[in-house]
Each structure stands twice: as C-alpha cells, then as structure tokens.
Amino acid sequence: MFANQPSPRRRNQTLVVVNSLGRQASSLIRVASAVGYTVRGQLRSCTRNKLLSTELTSLPNVTLIEGSLEDPSFIGELFAGANVAFINTTSWGDEVAIGKSLAVAAKKAGVKHYIYSSLTDHSTIARQGGPYLDALPLWKTKFEVEKFAREIFGLDATFVYAGCYNNNFSSVLPVPMWQLEDNGEGGFLWKAPFHPDYPIPWLDTEHDVGPAILQILKDGVRKWGGMRIPLAFEVMNPIQAAEAFTRGLGRRVTYIQCPLEIDAFPIPQGYRDQLYAAAKLFEDPKNPYFLPGMGERCPDVARHLWQGWRSLEEYAREVFPVEEKANGAPWILQLLAEEGDLGESFPATPNNEANGTEVDA
C-alpha cells in the first residue's frame, strides 16, 4: 500500500503524537512510520501496554518518550523541532489545561500543521423550537480545547471528529452500551439505549484513522486549515449495524433498545455522567452526533480521504474474533476447541488500551 522508500519530502518531517498507546494515535504512528515520517510519540508509561509499546518502538524512525503532559518543560522538549502534530487528549488529568498547553507549545515550536481530535459540545446545539441539548462532559472538554486552539494566531490547525468505534464491541470486557451478551443459541444480544433509528456514524479506528490523518497532512493546511472533518466511513442505525455484524461474524447479533445498564460495571463517577448524557442523546434520532453541517458530509468526506476503509461487517469477520481470542472470550475458545487449534487463523494480538478507555460514545 505504501512505497518502500520514504518520500524525500517527508524524510525530514517530524511528527509529534501524544497518548501514543491509544487507538487513534497508534494507528497514525504505524502508517506515518511506513511513509517516512520521523515520529516522536508521548506516553505516560511504556509498561502500561508493553506489547504495544514494543511493537511501536520497533517501527522505523519511531521514538516513544515517557513523560507527563502536565509538565511544561517536557511538552516544550516534545515539540522542539517538530513540523506537524496529531493530538488526541484524554481525560487523564485536566484535559482542558493540558490541551491548551499543547497548542501553545506547538505554536511556540513553529509546528506547521496541528491536527486535533475534537468532539461535539451539544450544549451549543439548540433543539428545533426548544432548549439547547445537554453536553456530554468528556466531549465538551475537547471542544473547549478546540476553541482555544482556534484563537491562537498563526497556529494552522485542522480538527477531526471521530465516529463511534467499531472496536468498542466486546463480549467479555466491561464496556457499557457496547458489550455483547451470549444469547444461549450461539449468537449475541446487543442491549443499548440507541433509538433503533439513530444514525450512528462508524469508524474502524485502528485501520482507518492513520491513513485518513496521513492524507490530511499530505493535502496540507491550504485544503484543510480550520476545517472540521467527520471521520466516519459508514452511517447505520443499530438494527442495520447488528445485521452487518451478523453477516460478518456468521452469528446472529440482535439489537434491543433498553435503558442504560451500568450498575454492574466498575465505572468512575465522571465517566458515569458521560454515559448517562450519551444515553439521553442517543435516545432521540433527531439529536445529531456531530455539529450542524458535519453529519451531512458523512461518510463522503472520510471516504475521500481514505478509500481503503474497513466496514463494520469486515471488522466483525476479520478482527472481532482476533480480539475476542486475545481477551479469552468463551465462545471463540470453544470454537477453537471444537474445530482444532486455529491459532494461525486467529493470532492473539495486542489490544490498544482496553475497550472503553478511548470510547467515543
């Protein structure tokens, strides 16, 4: 897919990435390394996911640096001499303060293209003839960072908005709204508060974020400067998504709308607030996922950036069994026992952060 030799134009390009073990960041690191960028990636600890950090550091021209994004001197060193950056902040620490300091440091270092992974602040969206929507707390903070970055004179920035991750699904990990339950008949039940007609934008994070960001960097700020880009390659309601999953997995997945069920999950209060707000948003199909004007551009703009995207059906067929085996899911282990060792077909692979840590819904 990529040329074997680095492009001369990119050979001296240094790309800064933060939270490198996240799904979005690691996706970009892999493809950026392949086309010749020098990648400088921040992470809190290499031991947090040693398998993934070992994989990333084995790639050509990739350096992972341990350090806190709350340390101004570390941030200054991170951006020193960098040309471009992809920033996906998380709720570890004060996300708004960290996001602001990263943007200021990038401007000071002379970064030429700053790509920030933002999300919708629904409190800026008014219902038709009614009050404003309620904000999702962990999305609102990202939007605040975006607003600040836009106000920095001379910081050429682009803002990407991720759809719901294909990779959120699991039958064993505690992922509210996305956990699949064994139905006792060889299939699964997906119970969630999405209205059956809610148009969910879908994104295969690990497969598609990197190539899409790479194309934005290639096109440059002349084309994408100041733009908001919805990263979603499919738009399907929950029933359509369950049908796609069924076709890919070869096992019936049935969607059931129900109230949010999180009492059995060990979830911090801050994230509980996020989940309750998300459940309320998704209960009405008229409530938009993206800011006004963005949803109408799905999935065309994302598919324009990256034509090799992976569908939810393909994810269910090609990747879900791999992740399920790696996480010790009983159904896949039983399948392996019944059909013989299929280890070569379903090799255990690292799971970039536990599902739910970087969930965009």
Side-chain angles (χ1 to χ4, degrees):
M1 180 171 57
F2 301 111
N4 292 327
Q5 295 300 320
S7 163
R9 187 173 68 85
R10 299 191 188 104
R11 194 170 285 135
N12 297 317
Q13 293 274 305
T14 297
L15 166 67
V16 167
V17 178
V18 302
N19 298 311
S20 299
L21 300 186
R23 293 187 184 273
Q24 292 188 35
S26 58
S27 176
L28 176 58
I29 289 172
R30 292 184 184 100
V31 295
S33 167
V35 299
Y37 281 93
T38 296
V39 181
R40 188 183 301 155
Q42 174 272 345
L43 74 172
R44 292 187 299 122
S45 171
C46 284
T47 59
R48 185 160 174 249
N49 189 331
K50 195 167 183 61
L51 199 58
L52 178 57
S53 60
T54 299
E55 177 214 336
L56 295 179
T57 53
S58 71
L59 299 175
N61 302 314
V62 173
T63 302
L64 298 185
I65 307 171
E66 291 185 350
S68 171
L69 295 179
E70 296 177 302
D71 181 351
S73 61
F74 172 77
I75 293 176
E77 294 173 2
L78 186 67
F79 282 105
N83 308 96
V84 292
F86 173 67
I87 305 299
N88 182 24
T89 54
T90 70
S91 56
W92 293 104
D94 186 334
E95 184 169 7
V96 174
I98 289 172
K100 289 180 177 181
S101 64
L102 288 169
V104 170
K107 172 60 172 64
K108 185 176 180 180
V111 168
K112 303 300 182 185
H113 197 172
Y114 189 83
I115 301 178
Y116 180 71
S117 184
S118 188
L119 283 168
T120 304
D121 178 4
H122 287 84
S123 67
T124 66
I125 303 174
R127 307 175 196 265
Q128 287 187 345
Y132 285 83
L133 297 171
D134 295 332
L136 278 66
L138 301 184
W139 290 16
K140 182 180 175 67
T141 53
K142 287 181 174 290
F143 191 77
E144 289 182 25
V145 174
E146 176 189 335
K147 287 195 299 182
F148 179 84
R150 287 181 176 276
E151 295 169 356
I152 299 178
F153 179 77
L155 180 63
D156 291 319
T158 302
F159 305 93
V160 295
Y161 283 57
C164 290
Y165 293 6
N166 294 352
N167 321 76
N168 286 344
F169 287 105
S170 174
S171 71
V172 288
L173 298 179
V175 192
M177 294 205 300
W178 302 102
Q179 188 167 11
L180 301 179
E181 297 181 12
D182 190 328
N183 67 1
E185 300 175 353
F188 298 98
L189 301 178
W190 173 27
K191 299 179 180 179
F194 293 98
H195 188 282
D197 295 326
Y198 192 92
I200 305 174
W202 295 95
L203 169 68
D204 194 283
T205 328
E206 295 177 356
H207 187 269
D208 299 325
V209 167
I213 298 298
L214 203 64
Q215 187 62 46
I216 294 170
L217 290 172
K218 180 180 178 181
D219 292 339
V221 294
R222 285 192 176 185
K223 182 170 184 177
W224 300 112
M227 297 285 287
R228 291 185 174 119
I229 302 174
L231 288 184
F233 293 86
E234 294 180 291
V235 178
M236 295 183 292
N237 66 39
I239 295 175
Q240 293 168 331
E243 291 172 348
F245 220 94
T246 296
R247 291 192 301 271
L249 192 60
R251 290 170 178 253
R252 170 58 58 184
V253 176
T254 302
Y255 178 72
I256 301 174
Q257 184 186 17
C258 67
L260 181 65
E261 300 176 358
I262 60 175
D263 290 340
F265 297 96
I267 301 172
Q269 185 59 47
Y271 193 54
R272 283 178 176 265
D273 295 339
Q274 170 75 9
L275 289 170
Y276 281 123
K280 184 177 180 181
L281 176 77
F282 296 139
E283 286 174 353
D284 187 344
K286 295 180 181 178
N287 293 337
Y289 184 97
F290 295 115
L291 290 168
M294 293 181 67
E296 294 81 352
R297 299 164 61 205
C298 289
D300 294 344
V301 65
R303 293 184 182 186
H304 169 76
L305 289 169
W306 168 232
Q307 294 77 46
W309 55 279
R310 181 159 59 199
S311 69
L312 182 61
E313 180 177 337
E314 290 175 306
Y315 167 79
R317 180 172 59 249
E318 300 170 2
V319 182
F320 186 70
V322 177
E323 295 187 339
E324 288 285 275
K325 181 190 173 186
N327 291 319
W331 74 269
I332 190 68
L333 297 180
Q334 181 181 357
L335 177 65
L336 297 178
E338 292 174 351
E339 299 186 3
D341 185 6
L342 302 181
E344 293 185 3
S345 300
F346 296 131
T349 58
N351 187 9
N352 297 358
E353 297 192 346
N355 281 342
T357 305
E358 194 185 271
V359 173
D360 272 292

